[in-house]
Amino acid sequence: MTHRAVELSTGAMIADLRALVEVESPSRDVAALARSAEVVAGVIESRLGGRAELVGSDGGPHVRWSGGGEPRVLVLGHHDTVFPLGTLERRPFTVEDGRATGPGVFDMLGGLVQAVHGLATLDDLTGVEILVSADEEVGSYHSRELIEERALACGAVLVPEGAADGGALKTGRKGAGAFRVTVTGRAAHAGLEPEAGVNALVEAAHQVRRIAALARPELGTTVTPTVAAAGTVENVVPAHASVTVDVRVESAAEKERVEAGFAALTPELDGAGLTVEGSVRRPPMPASASAQLFALARRLLPGVGGTEVGGGSDGNFTAALGVPTLDGLGAVGGGAHADHEYLLVDAMAERARLLAGLAEACRNGR
Protein backbone atom coordinates (compact mmCIF):
# COMPACT_ATOMS: atom_id res chain seq x y z
CA MET A 1 0.00 0.00 0.00
CA THR A 2 1.13 3.56 -0.67
CA HIS A 3 1.66 5.62 2.44
CA ARG A 4 2.25 9.36 2.68
CA ALA A 5 5.44 9.87 4.64
CA VAL A 6 5.48 12.16 7.65
CA GLU A 7 8.29 13.84 9.56
CA LEU A 8 9.43 12.31 12.82
CA SER A 9 8.14 14.03 15.93
CA THR A 10 9.58 13.14 19.32
CA GLY A 11 6.56 14.73 20.95
CA ALA A 12 4.22 12.45 19.01
CA MET A 13 6.31 9.43 19.95
CA ILE A 14 6.15 10.38 23.62
CA ALA A 15 2.37 10.77 23.39
CA ASP A 16 1.97 7.30 21.89
CA LEU A 17 4.40 5.83 24.43
CA ARG A 18 2.36 7.31 27.24
CA ALA A 19 -0.78 5.70 25.81
CA LEU A 20 0.84 2.27 25.68
CA VAL A 21 2.37 2.49 29.15
CA GLU A 22 -0.78 3.74 30.81
CA VAL A 23 -3.00 0.96 29.50
CA GLU A 24 -0.85 -1.60 31.46
CA SER A 25 -0.32 -5.04 29.96
CA PRO A 26 0.89 -7.72 32.37
CA SER A 27 1.55 -11.14 30.85
CA ARG A 28 -1.20 -13.74 31.39
CA ASP A 29 -3.83 -11.08 32.23
CA VAL A 30 -5.91 -11.66 29.11
CA ALA A 31 -8.40 -8.89 29.84
CA ALA A 32 -5.61 -6.33 30.30
CA LEU A 33 -3.84 -7.60 27.20
CA ALA A 34 -7.04 -7.23 25.19
CA ARG A 35 -7.19 -3.57 26.18
CA SER A 36 -3.51 -3.14 25.38
CA ALA A 37 -3.88 -4.78 21.97
CA GLU A 38 -6.62 -2.32 21.06
CA VAL A 39 -4.34 0.60 21.94
CA VAL A 40 -1.41 -0.89 20.02
CA ALA A 41 -3.64 -1.43 16.99
CA GLY A 42 -4.92 2.13 17.27
CA VAL A 43 -1.40 3.57 17.32
CA ILE A 44 -0.40 1.54 14.27
CA GLU A 45 -3.51 2.50 12.31
CA SER A 46 -3.29 6.17 13.18
CA ARG A 47 0.37 6.40 12.10
CA LEU A 48 0.51 3.97 9.17
CA GLY A 49 -3.06 3.69 7.90
CA GLY A 50 -4.79 0.45 7.00
CA ARG A 51 -6.25 -1.96 9.51
CA ALA A 52 -4.46 -3.87 12.24
CA GLU A 53 -5.78 -7.37 12.85
CA LEU A 54 -6.22 -8.71 16.38
CA VAL A 55 -5.25 -12.40 16.42
CA GLY A 56 -6.86 -14.08 19.40
CA SER A 57 -5.04 -16.64 21.52
CA ASP A 58 -5.32 -18.17 24.98
CA GLY A 59 -2.41 -15.95 26.01
CA GLY A 60 -4.08 -12.74 24.84
CA PRO A 61 -4.50 -11.05 21.46
CA HIS A 62 -1.56 -10.51 19.14
CA VAL A 63 -1.58 -7.54 16.77
CA ARG A 64 -0.73 -8.00 13.09
CA TRP A 65 -0.51 -5.31 10.40
CA SER A 66 0.55 -5.51 6.77
CA GLY A 67 1.46 -2.89 4.21
CA GLY A 68 0.28 -5.26 1.48
CA GLY A 69 2.07 -6.84 -1.42
CA GLU A 70 4.66 -9.59 -1.23
CA PRO A 71 5.98 -9.80 2.35
CA ARG A 72 9.65 -8.85 2.58
CA VAL A 73 10.37 -7.80 6.17
CA LEU A 74 8.78 -8.49 9.56
CA VAL A 75 8.99 -6.02 12.44
CA LEU A 76 8.56 -8.25 15.48
CA GLY A 77 7.71 -7.14 19.01
CA HIS A 78 5.50 -7.77 22.02
CA HIS A 79 3.07 -5.68 24.05
CA ASP A 80 3.02 -7.72 27.26
CA THR A 81 5.15 -6.58 30.18
CA VAL A 82 6.36 -8.19 33.41
CA PHE A 83 4.67 -5.66 35.69
CA PRO A 84 1.37 -6.46 37.48
CA LEU A 85 -1.66 -4.20 37.34
CA GLY A 86 -1.25 -1.33 39.77
CA THR A 87 2.43 -0.75 39.05
CA LEU A 88 1.51 2.39 37.14
CA GLU A 89 -0.03 3.94 40.24
CA ARG A 90 3.22 3.50 42.12
CA ARG A 91 5.46 4.34 39.17
CA PRO A 92 3.57 6.56 36.70
CA PHE A 93 4.76 7.44 33.23
CA THR A 94 7.11 10.40 33.54
CA VAL A 95 9.44 12.34 31.27
CA GLU A 96 12.11 14.23 33.16
CA ASP A 97 15.73 15.20 32.52
CA GLY A 98 15.72 13.50 29.12
CA ARG A 99 14.44 10.18 30.44
CA ALA A 100 11.05 8.52 30.08
CA THR A 101 10.21 6.17 32.93
CA GLY A 102 7.30 3.90 33.71
CA PRO A 103 6.45 0.18 33.50
CA GLY A 104 7.51 -1.23 30.14
CA VAL A 105 9.07 1.89 28.59
CA PHE A 106 12.32 0.05 27.77
CA ASP A 107 11.03 -3.51 27.42
CA MET A 108 9.60 -2.93 24.98
CA LEU A 109 6.90 -0.34 24.49
CA GLY A 110 9.39 2.37 23.53
CA GLY A 111 10.76 0.17 20.77
CA LEU A 112 7.27 -0.45 19.39
CA VAL A 113 6.56 3.26 19.23
CA GLN A 114 9.89 4.02 17.59
CA ALA A 115 9.32 1.29 15.00
CA VAL A 116 5.87 2.54 14.04
CA HIS A 117 6.96 6.17 13.83
CA GLY A 118 10.07 5.21 11.87
CA LEU A 119 7.99 3.30 9.34
CA ALA A 120 5.68 6.30 9.07
CA THR A 121 8.55 8.27 7.47
CA LEU A 122 8.58 5.91 4.44
CA ASP A 123 6.60 6.70 1.30
CA ASP A 124 5.80 3.07 0.54
CA LEU A 125 5.20 0.31 3.07
CA THR A 126 4.49 -2.47 0.59
CA GLY A 127 6.09 -5.67 1.83
CA VAL A 128 6.35 -4.52 5.45
CA GLU A 129 4.62 -6.50 8.19
CA ILE A 130 4.32 -5.84 11.92
CA LEU A 131 3.59 -8.56 14.47
CA VAL A 132 3.21 -7.66 18.14
CA SER A 133 2.72 -10.70 20.37
CA ALA A 134 0.97 -10.90 23.74
CA ASP A 135 3.10 -13.50 25.51
CA GLU A 136 6.81 -12.98 24.83
CA GLU A 137 7.65 -12.41 28.49
CA VAL A 138 6.22 -15.81 29.44
CA GLY A 139 7.72 -17.98 26.71
CA SER A 140 5.69 -17.18 23.56
CA TYR A 141 3.79 -20.47 23.90
CA HIS A 142 0.75 -19.07 22.08
CA SER A 143 2.55 -16.93 19.51
CA ARG A 144 5.55 -19.00 18.41
CA GLU A 145 3.82 -20.75 15.52
CA LEU A 146 2.54 -17.46 14.10
CA ILE A 147 5.92 -15.78 14.59
CA GLU A 148 7.74 -18.54 12.74
CA GLU A 149 5.17 -18.62 9.95
CA ARG A 150 5.42 -14.88 9.29
CA ALA A 151 9.22 -14.83 9.60
CA LEU A 152 9.56 -17.52 6.94
CA ALA A 153 7.09 -15.69 4.72
CA CYS A 154 8.89 -12.35 5.05
CA GLY A 155 12.50 -13.53 4.87
CA ALA A 156 13.98 -10.90 7.23
CA VAL A 157 13.17 -9.88 10.80
CA LEU A 158 13.80 -6.63 12.67
CA VAL A 159 13.28 -6.81 16.44
CA PRO A 160 12.84 -3.45 18.27
CA GLU A 161 13.64 -4.86 21.70
CA GLY A 162 15.65 -2.54 23.92
CA ALA A 163 19.26 -1.92 22.91
CA ALA A 164 22.20 -3.40 24.79
CA ASP A 165 24.46 -1.32 27.03
CA GLY A 166 25.67 1.83 25.32
CA GLY A 167 23.02 1.54 22.63
CA ALA A 168 24.59 -1.50 20.96
CA LEU A 169 22.48 -3.70 18.72
CA LYS A 170 22.00 -7.33 19.76
CA THR A 171 23.74 -9.47 17.18
CA GLY A 172 23.39 -12.76 19.05
CA ARG A 173 21.47 -14.19 21.98
CA LYS A 174 21.82 -17.27 24.11
CA GLY A 175 19.19 -19.96 24.02
CA ALA A 176 17.05 -19.86 27.14
CA GLY A 177 14.87 -22.23 29.07
CA ALA A 178 13.57 -23.20 32.48
CA PHE A 179 13.31 -26.52 34.26
CA ARG A 180 11.31 -27.54 37.31
CA VAL A 181 12.40 -30.51 39.41
CA THR A 182 9.72 -31.82 41.78
CA VAL A 183 10.69 -34.15 44.61
CA THR A 184 8.36 -36.45 46.50
CA GLY A 185 9.30 -37.99 49.83
CA ARG A 186 7.40 -39.23 52.87
CA ALA A 187 6.26 -37.20 55.84
CA ALA A 188 7.09 -38.17 59.42
CA HIS A 189 7.38 -36.51 62.81
CA ALA A 190 10.70 -34.66 62.82
CA GLY A 191 11.23 -35.20 66.55
CA LEU A 192 9.74 -38.63 67.27
CA GLU A 193 10.74 -40.67 64.21
CA PRO A 194 12.48 -38.70 61.46
CA GLU A 195 13.98 -41.95 60.20
CA ALA A 196 10.47 -43.07 59.19
CA GLY A 197 10.28 -40.30 56.65
CA VAL A 198 11.95 -39.57 53.33
CA ASN A 199 13.14 -35.99 53.44
CA ALA A 200 12.26 -34.27 50.16
CA LEU A 201 14.28 -31.21 51.12
CA VAL A 202 17.47 -33.27 51.58
CA GLU A 203 16.81 -34.97 48.26
CA ALA A 204 16.33 -31.58 46.62
CA ALA A 205 19.68 -30.45 48.06
CA HIS A 206 21.39 -33.44 46.40
CA GLN A 207 19.73 -32.56 43.10
CA VAL A 208 20.71 -28.89 43.29
CA ARG A 209 24.38 -29.87 43.45
CA ARG A 210 23.99 -32.16 40.43
CA ILE A 211 22.05 -29.54 38.50
CA ALA A 212 24.57 -26.78 39.18
CA ALA A 213 27.33 -29.08 37.94
CA LEU A 214 25.73 -29.07 34.48
CA ALA A 215 26.97 -25.51 33.92
CA ARG A 216 29.85 -24.95 31.52
CA PRO A 217 30.67 -21.25 31.85
CA GLU A 218 33.69 -21.64 29.58
CA LEU A 219 31.22 -22.58 26.81
CA GLY A 220 28.72 -19.87 27.73
CA THR A 221 26.37 -22.32 29.47
CA THR A 222 24.81 -21.19 32.73
CA VAL A 223 22.59 -23.44 34.84
CA THR A 224 21.24 -21.48 37.78
CA PRO A 225 18.82 -22.78 40.44
CA THR A 226 16.61 -19.77 41.15
CA VAL A 227 13.55 -20.78 43.18
CA ALA A 228 13.12 -23.53 45.77
CA ALA A 229 10.27 -24.58 48.05
CA ALA A 230 9.86 -27.38 50.59
CA GLY A 231 8.04 -28.41 53.71
CA THR A 232 4.92 -27.35 55.58
CA VAL A 233 5.73 -26.91 59.29
CA GLU A 234 8.88 -27.06 61.35
CA ASN A 235 8.31 -30.42 63.04
CA VAL A 236 7.41 -32.49 59.98
CA VAL A 237 9.86 -34.20 57.63
CA PRO A 238 8.97 -32.56 54.29
CA ALA A 239 7.23 -34.82 51.81
CA HIS A 240 7.45 -32.42 48.87
CA ALA A 241 10.03 -30.04 47.44
CA SER A 242 10.63 -28.26 44.16
CA VAL A 243 13.48 -26.44 42.46
CA THR A 244 13.23 -24.12 39.45
CA VAL A 245 16.30 -23.64 37.26
CA ASP A 246 17.21 -21.01 34.65
CA VAL A 247 19.33 -22.28 31.75
CA ARG A 248 21.22 -20.29 29.05
CA VAL A 249 23.24 -21.85 26.23
CA GLU A 250 25.17 -20.58 23.21
CA SER A 251 24.97 -23.65 20.98
CA ALA A 252 22.55 -26.38 19.93
CA ALA A 253 25.00 -28.99 21.20
CA GLU A 254 24.93 -27.49 24.69
CA LYS A 255 21.13 -27.34 24.57
CA GLU A 256 21.04 -31.08 23.91
CA ARG A 257 23.66 -31.84 26.57
CA VAL A 258 21.87 -29.89 29.30
CA GLU A 259 18.46 -31.32 28.42
CA ALA A 260 19.95 -34.82 28.55
CA GLY A 261 21.50 -34.00 31.92
CA PHE A 262 18.15 -33.07 33.39
CA ALA A 263 16.52 -36.17 31.90
CA ALA A 264 19.19 -38.36 33.55
CA LEU A 265 18.58 -37.10 37.11
CA THR A 266 17.72 -39.92 39.54
CA PRO A 267 16.90 -39.90 43.27
CA GLU A 268 19.69 -40.21 45.81
CA LEU A 269 17.54 -41.30 48.77
CA ASP A 270 15.67 -44.59 48.94
CA GLY A 271 11.95 -43.94 48.60
CA ALA A 272 12.28 -40.51 47.01
CA GLY A 273 10.77 -39.71 43.64
CA LEU A 274 11.67 -37.14 40.98
CA THR A 275 9.74 -35.44 38.20
CA VAL A 276 11.55 -33.18 35.73
CA GLU A 277 9.74 -30.75 33.46
CA GLY A 278 11.04 -28.13 31.05
CA SER A 279 13.40 -27.55 28.15
CA VAL A 280 15.62 -24.95 26.53
CA ARG A 281 12.61 -23.53 24.70
CA ARG A 282 14.28 -20.57 23.00
CA PRO A 283 17.07 -21.82 20.72
CA PRO A 284 20.29 -19.82 20.48
CA MET A 285 20.41 -16.87 18.08
CA PRO A 286 23.86 -17.16 16.44
CA ALA A 287 25.72 -14.06 15.36
CA SER A 288 25.72 -15.42 11.81
CA ALA A 289 21.95 -14.79 11.64
CA SER A 290 22.44 -11.06 12.11
CA ALA A 291 25.65 -10.51 10.16
CA GLN A 292 24.12 -9.20 6.92
CA LEU A 293 21.61 -6.92 8.63
CA PHE A 294 24.16 -5.66 11.13
CA ALA A 295 26.53 -4.69 8.33
CA LEU A 296 23.68 -2.74 6.74
CA ALA A 297 22.86 -1.09 10.08
CA ARG A 298 26.46 0.10 10.40
CA ARG A 299 26.24 1.71 6.98
CA LEU A 300 23.05 3.47 7.99
CA LEU A 301 24.34 4.48 11.42
CA PRO A 302 28.15 4.49 11.38
CA GLY A 303 29.69 3.62 14.70
CA VAL A 304 26.73 1.71 16.11
CA GLY A 305 27.98 -1.23 18.15
CA GLY A 306 26.90 -4.83 18.26
CA THR A 307 27.11 -7.40 21.02
CA GLU A 308 25.89 -10.86 21.99
CA VAL A 309 23.71 -11.05 25.10
CA GLY A 310 22.35 -13.68 27.45
CA GLY A 311 18.68 -12.75 27.43
CA GLY A 312 16.29 -14.29 24.90
CA SER A 313 13.64 -12.79 22.65
CA ASP A 314 11.33 -13.93 19.87
CA GLY A 315 14.25 -13.23 17.55
CA ASN A 316 15.74 -16.50 18.83
CA PHE A 317 12.94 -18.40 17.13
CA THR A 318 13.28 -16.62 13.80
CA ALA A 319 17.08 -16.84 13.71
CA ALA A 320 16.92 -20.58 14.44
CA LEU A 321 14.88 -20.95 11.24
CA GLY A 322 17.73 -19.41 9.25
CA VAL A 323 15.86 -16.15 8.71
CA PRO A 324 18.18 -13.09 8.90
CA THR A 325 17.35 -11.39 12.21
CA LEU A 326 18.67 -8.27 13.91
CA ASP A 327 17.67 -7.47 17.50
CA GLY A 328 18.10 -4.58 19.93
CA LEU A 329 16.74 -2.00 17.48
CA GLY A 330 14.44 -0.44 20.06
CA ALA A 331 14.85 1.96 22.94
CA VAL A 332 18.22 3.12 24.20
CA GLY A 333 18.09 3.03 27.98
CA GLY A 334 18.19 0.31 30.59
CA GLY A 335 16.69 -1.32 33.66
CA ALA A 336 14.58 -3.94 31.90
CA HIS A 337 12.18 -5.64 34.34
CA ALA A 338 13.25 -3.30 37.15
CA ASP A 339 11.79 -0.28 38.92
CA HIS A 340 14.50 1.98 37.51
CA GLU A 341 13.63 1.11 33.87
CA TYR A 342 14.14 4.10 31.58
CA LEU A 343 14.36 5.27 27.98
CA LEU A 344 16.58 8.05 26.62
CA VAL A 345 14.30 10.45 24.79
CA ASP A 346 17.05 12.03 22.68
CA ALA A 347 17.85 8.67 21.06
CA MET A 348 14.31 7.90 19.94
CA ALA A 349 14.39 9.66 16.57
CA GLU A 350 17.78 8.23 15.57
CA ARG A 351 16.69 4.68 16.35
CA ALA A 352 13.37 5.18 14.57
CA ARG A 353 15.25 6.27 11.44
CA LEU A 354 17.61 3.30 11.70
CA LEU A 355 14.76 0.80 11.76
CA ALA A 356 13.06 2.62 8.90
CA GLY A 357 16.24 2.47 6.83
CA LEU A 358 16.63 -1.24 7.47
CA ALA A 359 12.98 -1.92 6.62
CA GLU A 360 13.29 0.06 3.39
CA ALA A 361 16.41 -1.86 2.38
CA CYS A 362 14.78 -5.22 3.12
CA ARG A 363 11.62 -4.17 1.32
CA ASN A 364 13.64 -3.35 -1.77
CA GLY A 365 15.68 -6.55 -1.60
CA ARG A 366 18.97 -4.87 -0.73
Side-chain angles (χ1 to χ4, degrees):
M1 78 187 214
T2 301
H3 166 76
R4 195 173 82 174
V6 298
E7 293 294 322
L8 273 178
S9 164
T10 299
M13 284 193 280
I14 291 295
D16 284 347
L17 179 57
R18 177 186 293 274
L20 293 187
V21 171
E22 291 187 345
V23 75
E24 293 195 282
S25 52
S27 304
R28 296 195 176 98
D29 187 327
V30 176
L33 290 166
R35 294 190 293 271
S36 173
E38 292 281 359
V39 176
V40 171
V43 167
I44 293 172
E45 292 171 356
S46 68
R47 302 300 177 184
L48 303 180
R51 293 298 303 273
E53 175 191 7
L54 299 187
V55 183
S57 82
D58 289 343
H62 318 307
V63 183
R64 183 182 169 209
W65 179 91
S66 172
E70 180 185 355
R72 302 302 295 269
V73 59
L74 178 67
V75 177
L76 176 61
H78 64 91
H79 65 102
D80 64 317
T81 70
V82 300
F83 302 102
L85 288 180
T87 302
L88 186 70
E89 183 177 359
R90 177 173 56 83
R91 192 158 56 87
F93 179 78
T94 304
V95 179
E96 189 174 277
D97 297 329
R99 293 187 173 199
T101 57
V105 291
F106 181 69
D107 187 11
M108 65 168 291
L109 303 177
L112 291 181
V113 169
Q114 290 170 194
V116 171
H117 281 255
L119 293 174
T121 66
L122 302 179
D123 287 318
D124 191 349
L125 293 171
T126 305
V128 177
E129 286 195 19
I130 300 173
L131 178 59
V132 186
S133 74
D135 62 346
E136 190 272 350
E137 295 290 7
V138 288
S140 305
Y141 287 93
H142 302 288
S143 58
R144 180 175 181 175
E145 183 177 351
L146 178 60
I147 289 166
E148 293 179 337
E149 172 197 315
R150 297 320 306 158
L152 288 169
C154 292
V157 178
L158 305 176
V159 186
E161 289 273 8
D165 290 348
L169 303 181
K170 295 174 179 177
T171 56
R173 285 183 179 271
K174 289 185 178 182
F179 292 81
R180 181 180 175 87
V181 178
T182 303
V183 180
T184 56
R186 184 170 60 248
H189 196 293
L192 294 178
E193 49 176 2
E195 69 283 354
V198 177
N199 195 314
L201 176 55
V202 171
E203 179 63 50
H206 287 299
Q207 297 304 323
V208 165
R209 295 188 64 180
R210 292 175 177 173
I211 290 166
L214 292 172
R216 294 288 186 273
E218 70 278 8
L219 299 178
T221 300
T222 59
V223 181
T224 309
T226 54
V227 180
T232 53
V233 294
E234 64 190 39
N235 61 350
V236 175
V237 173
H240 300 279
S242 64
V243 179
T244 301
V245 187
D246 179 274
V247 173
R248 310 282 166 149
V249 299
E250 289 186 356
S251 69
E254 279 297 279
K255 171 184 182 296
E256 293 174 3
R257 183 188 67 80
V258 171
E259 289 178 340
F262 274 95
L265 293 175
T266 56
E268 176 83 8
L269 303 180
D270 290 340
L274 285 183
T275 301
V276 179
E277 302 170 284
S279 65
V280 181
R281 176 168 171 78
R282 292 188 192 273
M285 174 184 165
S288 58
S290 66
Q292 181 180 357
L293 289 170
F294 180 57
L296 176 57
R298 296 203 67 171
R299 292 197 295 271
L300 293 168
L301 184 61
V304 67
T307 188
E308 299 181 35
V309 297
S313 82
D314 285 335
N316 289 59
F317 296 134
T318 65
L321 296 172
V323 178
T325 301
L326 184 58
D327 205 336
L329 288 161
V332 177
H337 298 188
D339 281 354
H340 66 278
E341 182 181 20
Y342 69 95
L343 171 156
L344 296 179
V345 173
D346 285 348
M348 294 183 75
E350 180 179 75
R351 289 309 170 102
R353 291 189 186 97
L354 174 59
L355 186 137
L358 288 165
E360 178 75 354
C362 293
R363 196 182 71 78
N364 291 322
R366 297 200 299 270

